[in-house]
Amino acid sequence: MQTKFIAVAIALAFAGSAGAQEIVKIGHVGPVSGPQSHLGKDNENGANMAVNDLNAKGIKIGGKPVKFVLVLEDDGADPKQGTTVAQKLVDAKVNGVVGHLNSGTTVPASRIYYNAGIPQVSPASTNPVYTKQKFNTTFRVVANDSKLGGTLGKYAVEKLGAKKIAVIDDRTAYGMGVATEFIKGAKGAQIVDKQFTNDKATDFNAILTSIKAKNPDLVFFGGMDAVGGPLLRQMKALGIKAKFMGGDGVCTDALPRLAGTAAADGVVTCAEAGGVPPELQKNMDEFRARYKKAYNQEVQLYAPYVYDSVMTLAQAMQDAGSSDPKQYLPFLKKVKYQGVTGLITFDQYGDINDGALTLFTYTGGKKTKMEVVK
């Protein structure tokens, strides 16, 4: 009888302990439907890995055990849908948000999070506007377009020897932003043509015919791989011999599949808004191996930055001893987190300090690292 009483008491004690566990909700938004779903799912996987790791460690905040849970939303890379799901996350009383992928959804959604006082860390959006709105809730863990586009423009002229350049953008906040900064950086080259398309286009015959007549030696595209791949295919079909350059949106493992033989050795140069120096490569390689084991596929692009974004939020909460956005937001501003992608600290705007870029090309159908620049 006494043994039974002890067993019941132990069971009740464990039940009470479990009941005392605080739930910390992390919202994640990305385009998990539509042409960019492979990138959105990649981001979502990175968030899942982070939350699983946090829960496996038995993280405590303010001395209390917590359980992290993800609240997942799909913005379809559409600004209107992005603001709708942002409000859903606010209504769900999430403690913080990681996302969105695209600048075109991140920027309008950021006002909703700001009005609700919820910290938002973007793992991928690069348009400078995002952190220049004077919202104290906006942060990002990658370099912005001023650095990304400007570095690519300079590289095109100084390293690739481009003299006549055609520029295409997809009219999104990201595409226009990175193309504008590329042009600023391409000093010394002649911009022979500027064209635009949209982020769901499949037929580029008209704009490419115009570009072919200008005989450029390099074409820069501001947009994502779902458009950049078919664009490359049609460039080859029209006999355009120019080199192809793009930002992080096209710099994916999926590009050779989308572009086919048009992404031949050395034709494409692109940059990721992020990168790790050699001394941190071991950590990145270990992350990629764990990711592949968990999801049976390679990292597409931003999963490591999503992982670090979640971990950075958790670090700020631990530093503050609270998951209440009002309490931990000041600690997020001064956080120091040594992540998979490097040391994460933020400047006065919420941009990452000393953000790196990684330049890539494609060889034998595989993305090949060229160099990390800061």
Side-chain angles (χ1 to χ4, degrees):
M1 189 70 175
Q2 187 178 6
T3 303
K4 184 177 180 182
F5 174 81
I6 292 172
V8 171
I10 291 172
L12 287 171
F14 273 106
S17 175
Q21 191 177 46
E22 180 186 348
I23 300 298
V24 178
K25 297 179 184 178
I26 303 294
H28 177 270
V29 190
V32 292
S33 63
Q36 297 176 37
S37 59
H38 59 298
L39 298 178
K41 191 63 183 175
D42 182 56
N43 281 18
E44 194 173 280
N45 289 344
N48 268 308
M49 279 184 67
V51 164
N52 289 341
D53 284 353
L54 286 168
N55 288 334
K57 291 176 183 175
I59 296 295
K60 291 185 178 181
I61 296 175
K64 297 178 181 177
V66 298
K67 180 181 181 181
F68 288 86
V69 297
L70 278 178
V71 183
L72 302 173
E73 294 292 349
D74 172 23
D75 64 19
D78 175 73
K80 185 176 179 182
Q81 190 171 329
T83 54
T84 298
V85 297
Q87 188 58 55
K88 284 180 68 176
L89 291 178
V90 170
D91 294 342
K93 293 182 169 52
V94 295
N95 301 83
V97 173
V98 172
H100 303 205
L101 169 69
N102 310 84
S103 295
T105 54
T106 301
V107 173
S110 65
R111 180 174 293 275
I112 293 172
Y113 303 129
Y114 168 68
N115 289 337
I118 297 174
Q120 174 192 10
V121 181
S122 175
S125 300
T126 53
N127 192 299
V129 170
Y130 170 57
T131 50
K132 295 299 189 289
Q133 302 173 99
K134 298 183 179 178
F135 295 167
N136 66 346
T137 51
T138 56
F139 302 85
R140 70 171 128 219
V141 298
V142 291
N144 66 26
D145 286 337
S146 297
K147 185 162 189 177
L148 179 69
T151 298
L152 285 169
K154 185 178 180 181
Y155 192 89
V157 175
E158 296 183 1
K159 297 293 181 73
L160 299 182
K163 293 179 171 57
K164 297 169 67 179
I165 299 174
V167 177
I168 308 169
D169 75 69
D170 66 359
R171 296 286 94 175
T172 65
Y174 163 70
M176 289 191 290
V178 74
T180 297
E181 296 301 330
F182 171 85
I183 291 170
K184 290 179 184 177
K187 293 175 182 175
Q190 180 186 4
I191 306 300
V192 296
D193 203 358
K194 292 183 192 176
Q195 296 286 341
F196 64 88
T197 181
N198 65 71
D199 61 348
K200 296 176 178 60
T202 56
D203 182 2
F204 313 103
N205 188 66
I207 62 174
L208 289 177
T209 299
S210 172
I211 285 172
K212 183 178 180 181
K214 310 292 174 51
N215 195 31
D217 43 42
L218 186 140
V219 174
F220 179 85
F221 173 60
M224 307 300 285
D225 63 354
V227 173
L231 180 65
L232 259 169
R233 282 180 184 269
Q234 290 176 43
M235 280 177 58
K236 182 180 180 183
L238 285 171
I240 297 174
K241 305 292 187 185
K243 298 278 189 179
F244 184 86
M245 181 173 267
D248 49 331
V250 301
C251 213
T252 68
D253 288 330
L255 185 69
R257 171 177 57 81
L258 296 165
T261 56
D265 291 5
V267 169
V268 178
T269 303
C270 59
E272 281 186 15
V276 297
E279 63 269 22
L280 294 178
Q281 190 60 48
K282 182 173 180 289
N283 292 341
M284 181 65 83
D285 291 343
E286 288 173 353
F287 175 87
R288 288 177 174 273
R290 287 205 301 129
Y291 182 100
K292 187 170 184 178
K293 184 177 180 180
Y295 302 109
N296 196 31
Q297 65 182 43
E298 301 289 348
V299 167
Q300 292 293 306
L301 189 57
Y302 281 121
Y305 300 93
V306 177
Y307 182 92
D308 278 355
S309 297
V310 174
M311 290 298 193
T312 300
L313 283 174
Q315 183 64 60
M317 292 175 188
Q318 291 174 80
D319 293 344
S322 173
S323 61
D324 181 343
K326 293 186 183 66
Q327 298 298 319
Y328 82 81
L329 179 57
F331 288 83
L332 185 57
K333 293 176 182 297
K334 57 186 179 182
V335 75
K336 288 185 179 180
Y337 175 71
Q338 185 62 55
V340 172
T341 61
L343 179 65
I344 295 175
T345 62
F346 300 112
D347 68 13
Q348 60 180 325
Y349 300 107
D351 280 310
I352 190 166
N353 282 310
D354 203 26
L357 300 175
T358 308
L359 294 166
F360 291 91
T361 188
Y362 291 83
T363 307
K366 299 288 186 182
K367 191 165 85 169
T368 308
K369 182 190 285 189
M370 297 164 68
E371 60 180 306
V372 175
V373 296
K374 287 193 175 184

